[in-house]
Amino acid sequence: MHTIWKGSISFGLVNIPVRMYAATDEKQVSFRHLHRPCKTPIRYTRTCPTCNKEVSWDEVVKGYEYADGRFVLMEKEELESILPDNRRSIEILDFVDLKEIDPIYFDRSYFLGPGDTGERAYALLREAIESTGKIGVAQLTIRSKQSLAVVRSYRRSLVMETIFYPDEVRNADRVPGLPEETELPEKELEMARQLIGNLSTSFDPEKYKDRYRESLEAIIEKKIRGEEIVEAPETRPEKVVDLMEALKASLEATQPKGKGKRKKKSGG
């Protein structure tokens, strides 16, 4: 794995050298934009519409738009002057229970591996976190941004996941059309609970596949080989308008095999 950051984890007076690695690898098919007549990739250039010319990086400066068309300029030195001093440290501030953090806060995941001479202290923190069932809430500076994060154990490693600050999570009450407290028919509610029960199982990530990406890769491979692409007929699920009928049909479709049907008694 490629090291993307080197620093340390600190909690209390304990300092543990670590290396950071990307924990996830997003799988997607990437396309280039081509000029159709000649199949040449299109270039995108930095241009100034006022000066009507291409702009080099040494002429670029960051600006914050505080009003329409009005900017305050921020020089590189000014931005660096306010970065925290501990920019090479993942500072654990508190330990909490994982269930206390709603999944909406989670952003990106990174593996943390031990740095030079840090194996023993790394193992100590990993085992302590594992045995207490706690996760560490930490702050660090990465890519010129002070981030909030959690550190937890994952199999034989430590994982750091950046999380959003509270003011970065939008208020759910702003979602339009949210229903007020609704008195629901008990029969419908019971059937919905039963449907959830029928669909409940242990989480097995291997069973979930990106069918669209697989189909796209298959089409690309066929085009490379010069094969003809045949479109499959579009299939749409039957639309069920009535909520009760939709629940009944769903329950029948998800009923475990061998259940739900009574055997007829033999006559005589």
Side-chain angles (χ1 to χ4, degrees):
M1 284 187 178
H2 172 68
T3 302
I4 59 176
W5 185 88
K6 287 197 299 183
S8 63
I9 297 177
S10 64
F11 67 110
L13 298 178
V14 179
N15 202 63
I16 307 168
V18 292
R19 298 174 186 267
M20 185 187 296
Y21 310 89
T24 56
D25 183 16
E26 187 177 358
K27 302 289 186 180
Q28 64 178 13
V29 178
S30 298
F31 292 99
R32 300 279 301 276
H33 287 108
L34 310 180
H35 185 207
R36 186 182 288 274
C38 64
K39 311 299 185 294
T40 303
I42 295 172
R43 288 181 179 177
Y44 294 92
T45 58
R46 295 177 305 277
T47 58
C48 174
T50 299
C51 301
N52 195 27
K53 70 171 187 176
E54 188 174 342
V55 178
S56 62
W57 275 117
D58 60 357
E59 293 182 293
V60 176
V61 64
K62 290 186 178 181
Y64 177 80
E65 189 170 12
Y66 63 92
D68 189 25
R70 299 182 67 84
F71 299 88
V72 58
L73 302 186
M74 294 297 297
E75 301 295 340
K76 181 181 177 181
E77 295 76 18
E78 293 175 314
L79 294 171
E80 290 181 347
S81 69
I82 59 172
L83 285 174
D85 294 333
N86 60 341
R87 66 187 70 178
R88 282 293 172 185
S89 176
I90 302 169
E91 184 181 3
I92 296 179
L93 308 173
D94 301 292
F95 285 94
V96 302
D97 292 328
L98 176 59
K99 64 183 180 182
E100 294 183 71
I101 304 177
D102 191 280
I104 198 171
Y105 282 93
F106 287 89
D107 184 19
R108 301 191 65 126
S109 301
Y110 301 90
F111 287 129
L112 297 177
D116 299 334
T117 71
E119 292 87 351
R120 186 169 177 274
Y122 179 96
L124 176 68
L125 178 58
R126 182 190 63 194
E127 295 304 314
I129 287 177
E130 183 73 32
S131 60
T132 59
K134 299 288 186 179
I135 61 172
V137 179
Q139 278 189 316
L140 77 156
T141 302
I142 184 170
R143 298 189 185 96
S144 301
K145 179 182 185 296
Q146 188 172 49
S147 298
L148 195 60
V150 295
V151 177
R152 63 185 181 88
S153 63
Y154 176 77
R155 298 182 179 175
R156 294 175 51 236
S157 71
L158 289 174
V159 168
M160 186 196 77
E161 289 166 294
T162 54
I163 62 176
F164 294 105
Y165 285 99
D167 61 353
E168 294 178 311
V169 178
R170 293 180 174 179
N171 192 332
D173 292 336
R174 295 171 60 187
V175 177
L178 288 178
E180 299 294 334
E181 291 294 329
T182 307
E183 191 170 333
L184 299 167
E186 186 58 35
K187 190 173 182 180
E188 288 184 2
L189 195 54
E190 181 55 36
M191 292 179 74
R193 292 192 189 107
Q194 188 179 342
L195 179 57
I196 290 174
N198 288 355
L199 294 172
S200 295
T201 184
S202 298
F203 178 62
D204 176 13
E206 297 299 324
K207 69 182 282 190
Y208 306 104
K209 306 292 182 183
D210 186 344
R211 302 299 182 192
Y212 172 74
R213 177 166 57 89
E214 290 177 353
S215 299
L216 188 57
E217 289 173 344
I219 289 175
I220 290 172
E221 190 59 35
K222 284 184 177 181
K223 279 182 170 283
I224 291 172
R225 294 196 301 262
E227 297 180 21
E228 183 181 356
I229 305 300
V230 179
E231 290 187 11
E234 185 179 1
T235 58
R236 294 185 178 181
E238 183 181 351
K239 189 174 182 180
V240 182
V241 178
D242 185 79
L243 180 58
M244 181 64 78
E245 290 302 315
L247 286 168
K248 287 179 180 177
S250 300
L251 284 173
E252 290 176 7
T254 60
Q255 189 75 25
K257 292 181 180 180
K259 292 185 179 181
K261 292 184 179 180
R262 295 181 180 178
K263 293 182 179 179
K264 292 182 180 180
K265 293 182 180 180
S266 58

